Structure formats: C-alpha cells, structure tokens
Amino acid sequence: MKYEVTDAPSSEDLGTVGDHLTAFNAADVGPADKRPLAVFVRGEDGSVVAGISGYTAWGWLYVQWLWVDESLRGQNAASRMLQAAEDEAAARGCHGAYIDTFSPTALKVYQRQGYKPFGELPDFPKGRTRIFLAKPLEQA
C-alpha cells in the first residue's frame, strides 16, 4: 500500500471517497436525503447582495455560508435569510439547524435568531474562537 498526501486531489478520487462514505453511512444510519438549500437576496440589477448556502440532511439544516453585503448590514437581512432557510428546512421535515462562526458580530446575530452554542474550538483561526450553534426547528 502507498499513502499519498496531496493538495490537488482529483475529482474522481474525491468522488470515490464520498460515494463509499455515503454508502457506509446509509447502511449504518439510513439515507441522508441530502439536498442543497440556498437563499439569495438580489439587488435591482439581479446581482446577489446577500446569501446563504447549505444543505439539509438527516433531519438537520446546516448553514455553511452566510454573507451580507456591507450595504445591507444592520437591516436584518441575515435574520430574514436564516428564517427563510429554517422554514424551508422545516418543510423538508428537519427538526434542527446548526451553524458555526468565528465572528463576534455573526455570533450575536445567530443568538438573536435563537441559536445556542454547543461547542467551540479556540484559536480557529488564531486569536479567535470558532463557535458551533444549534437550534430546534418547528415542523411545518
């Protein structure tokens, strides 16, 4: 056997690992029913000025990315997008949502939205703490 470390994995090799892990997990705990979920705010010209990207799987919404253009900050865009994502996740049968951040400002936004911290990684990145938060979702 040969162990390979790379910073340029092929999409085929990543697909192999992903496909096999998906099959293992499905046999172990059942299918994930993983589906992408995105929420976008568009400006008058149609460009994206804020957005959420994540997915639902195993009854949970995971918000991977949440971005708001500087011009919209302080106008509850993040809260409205989170609510839209949570509503869609609940309609898909999800019972919880989770997100993580190392931004003190974002942490406050998520806590106002009802998320509660459940874990943290200090110095991730150096000088900050990455906080993991979750909240229950009401079924639609």
Side-chain angles (χ1 to χ4, degrees):
M1 278 195 288
K2 175 185 168 197
Y3 290 82
E4 174 187 352
V5 176
T6 180
D7 64 352
S10 73
S11 57
E12 181 181 331
D13 289 345
L14 290 174
T16 297
V17 172
D19 291 347
H20 285 280
L21 180 59
T22 298
F24 174 84
N25 286 338
D28 187 35
V29 297
D33 189 26
K34 185 175 180 180
R35 295 172 52 197
L37 194 156
V39 177
F40 300 112
V41 178
R42 296 189 183 273
E44 291 184 19
D45 65 356
S47 65
V48 174
V49 294
I52 285 177
S53 175
Y55 59 85
T56 56
W58 286 301
W60 283 84
L61 163 65
Y62 172 55
V63 177
Q64 182 176 18
W65 297 337
L66 188 156
W67 167 75
V68 177
D69 185 76
E70 187 70 36
S71 66
L72 288 180
R73 293 188 186 155
Q75 300 178 39
N76 293 322
S79 294
R80 289 187 188 124
M81 288 189 303
L82 280 168
Q83 190 62 58
E86 292 164 11
D87 290 346
E88 174 60 21
R92 293 180 184 188
C94 291
H95 57 85
Y98 67 107
I99 193 167
D100 63 87
T101 188
F102 52 80
S103 164
T105 302
L107 176 62
K108 290 176 188 169
V109 169
Y110 304 153
Q111 288 177 312
R112 278 195 303 267
Q113 187 71 17
Y115 288 78
K116 305 255 187 271
F118 68 87
E120 60 182 52
L121 287 173
D123 283 332
F124 193 102
K126 190 81 172 157
R128 294 279 183 102
T129 298
R130 179 157 289 199
I131 308 289
F132 297 85
L133 305 102
K135 75 178 275 188
L137 297 179
E138 294 187 26
Q139 297 296 301

